[in-house]
């Protein structure tokens, strides 16, 4: 049996070997975890925001960023470990190991962005995130293929999982209570730093829990991990992370633009857009101002959804009735402005 989790083999026929770590690669692994956490926080702040994209889009992007970052950090951390026996990684298990990282990130962000902000929610979110980090790590460990038996110290094994859960809980709690301050780079950096500690501490505690036993006298080999596979997967993970960050930034800019210049209910240009158009397009002139009277009365009687339905119905009638040379704005809640716009300046 290649792996015996907690049972020490017969020491008379087995020899223990130890590995070493490259400190620079360890630092790189922490930087990757920090970058993934920061990207996830950046995307996460949009989940409960008002915008033109469903919150599940931001939720999936944040989960992919966090999950791929955890996964990439793990394999960079593995490449920092140097042991004097040949080692490579099982391709199937390596790919499978990313699934719990992404899935746990999704569950954790889903819970922390719910309407219920009780401590039990954060405990559950920390549990899911911590277990996901640990499961990804130990599946990754199982992906190692070498001529050695791997034995885990049960205390350090359990401690590594506990560290992941507790640190994840603290990080996710900070994610939530600092939502109103997430525009500040310092606050986001602190939260990302704590999450990066959760990921890297769990990883290296889990590595410390491992002992490697080989049969017969120790034969020293040059470290011969299948670095092509490791570099390939790390490159995919980091590349995906940066891609998600760029995509989130572009979507973020688009949402800000839409929220500033367009009405969320009707998708019509709002007062800000009307003001800018009047400054830029000198050849436009106002045609009419339409005000809906007594809408508040219907809202009080039938609710806001009924009031929204009235506004949408009026907009539909106006859009089908007005000539193409005009442009319609929602300049106030119940007021619409119609301007004459020559064909070359009309925007759909």
């Amino acid at each position: 049996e290649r792996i015996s989790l907690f049972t020490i083999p017969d020491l008379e026929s087995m020899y223990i070997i130890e590995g070493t770590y490259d400190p620079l690669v360890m630092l790189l692994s922490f930087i990757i975890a920090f970058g993934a956490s920061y990207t996830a926080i950046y995307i996460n702040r949009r989940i409960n925001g008002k915008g033109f994209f469903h919150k599940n889009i931001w939720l999936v992007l944040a989960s992919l960023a966090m999950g791929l970052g955890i996964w990439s950090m793990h394999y960079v951390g593995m490449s920092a470990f140097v042991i004097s026996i040949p080692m490579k990684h099982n391709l199937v298990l390596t790919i499978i190991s990313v699934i719990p990282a992404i899935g746990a990130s999704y569950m954790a962000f889903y819970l922390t962005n719910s309407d219920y902000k009780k401590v039990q929610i954060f405990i559950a979110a920390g549990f899911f995130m911590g277990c996901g980090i640990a499961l990804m790590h130990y599946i990754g460990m199982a992906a190692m293929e070498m001529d050695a038996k791997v034995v885990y110290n049960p205390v350090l094994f359990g401690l590594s999982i506990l560290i992941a859960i507790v640190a994840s809980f603290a990080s996710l709690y900070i994610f939530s209570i600092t939502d109103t301050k997430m525009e500040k780079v310092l606050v986001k950096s602190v939260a990302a730093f704590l999450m990066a500690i959760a990921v890297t501490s769990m990883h290296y505690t889990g590595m410390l829990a491992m002992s490697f036993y080989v049969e017969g006298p120790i034969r020293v080999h040059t470290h011969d991990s299948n670095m092509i596979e490791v570099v390939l997967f790390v490159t995919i993970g980091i590349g995906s992370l940066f891609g998600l960050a760029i995509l989130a930034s572009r979507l973020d800019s688009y949402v800000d633009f839409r929220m500033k210049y367009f009405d969320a209910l009707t998708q019509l240009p709002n007062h800000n857009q009307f003001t800018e158009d009047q400054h830029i397009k000198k050849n436009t002139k106002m045609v009419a101002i339409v005000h809906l009277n007594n809408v508040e009365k219907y809202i009080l009687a039938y609710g806001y959804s009924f009031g929204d339905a009235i506004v949408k119905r009026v907009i539909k009638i106006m859009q089908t009735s007005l000539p193409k040379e005009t442009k319609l704005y929602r300049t106030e809640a119940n007021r619409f402005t119609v301007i004459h716009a020559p064909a070359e300046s009309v925007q759909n």
Side-chain angles (χ1 to χ4, degrees), residues 10-163:
D10 183 3
L11 294 180
E12 293 184 0
S13 60
M14 304 292 291
Y15 295 81
I16 189 170
I17 58 174
E18 296 180 354
T20 59
Y21 290 91
D22 185 329
L24 292 179
V25 180
M26 292 176 68
L27 177 61
L28 175 61
S29 69
F30 181 84
I31 292 173
I32 290 172
F34 175 82
S37 302
Y38 192 93
T39 303
I41 295 171
Y42 178 83
I43 299 172
N44 181 68
R45 70 190 179 93
R46 277 294 187 188
I47 292 176
N48 285 328
K50 294 180 180 179
F52 293 84
F53 296 102
H54 194 277
K55 71 175 186 178
N56 281 339
I57 293 178
W58 301 110
L59 187 59
V60 169
L61 288 176
S63 303
L64 285 172
M66 192 72 247
L68 288 171
I70 294 170
W71 184 79
S72 300
M73 176 272 145
H74 170 83
Y75 283 100
V76 171
M78 281 301 302
S79 66
F81 182 65
V82 180
I83 192 168
S84 59
I85 56 174
M87 179 179 68
K88 63 179 182 178
H89 292 84
N90 181 284
L91 178 61
V92 174
L93 286 178
T94 299
I95 295 174
I96 290 175
S97 66
V98 75
I99 296 175
I102 295 175
S105 299
Y106 183 91
M107 285 298 301
F109 287 132
Y110 177 83
L111 289 172
T112 54
N113 284 283
S114 66
D115 295 331
Y116 303 99
K117 299 296 183 182
K118 295 182 179 180
V119 67
Q120 293 91 332
I121 294 295
F122 296 104
I123 292 175
F127 178 80
F128 277 114
M129 178 67 86
C131 288
I133 294 171
L135 186 58
M136 183 284 306
H137 173 84
Y138 288 111
I139 291 176
M141 292 296 97
M144 294 189 308
E145 295 181 343
M146 64 181 77
D147 293 326
K149 292 183 181 292
V150 180
V151 178
Y152 288 97
N153 180 307
V155 175
L156 291 176
F157 181 89
L159 180 62
S160 69
I161 299 174
L162 181 62
I163 288 173

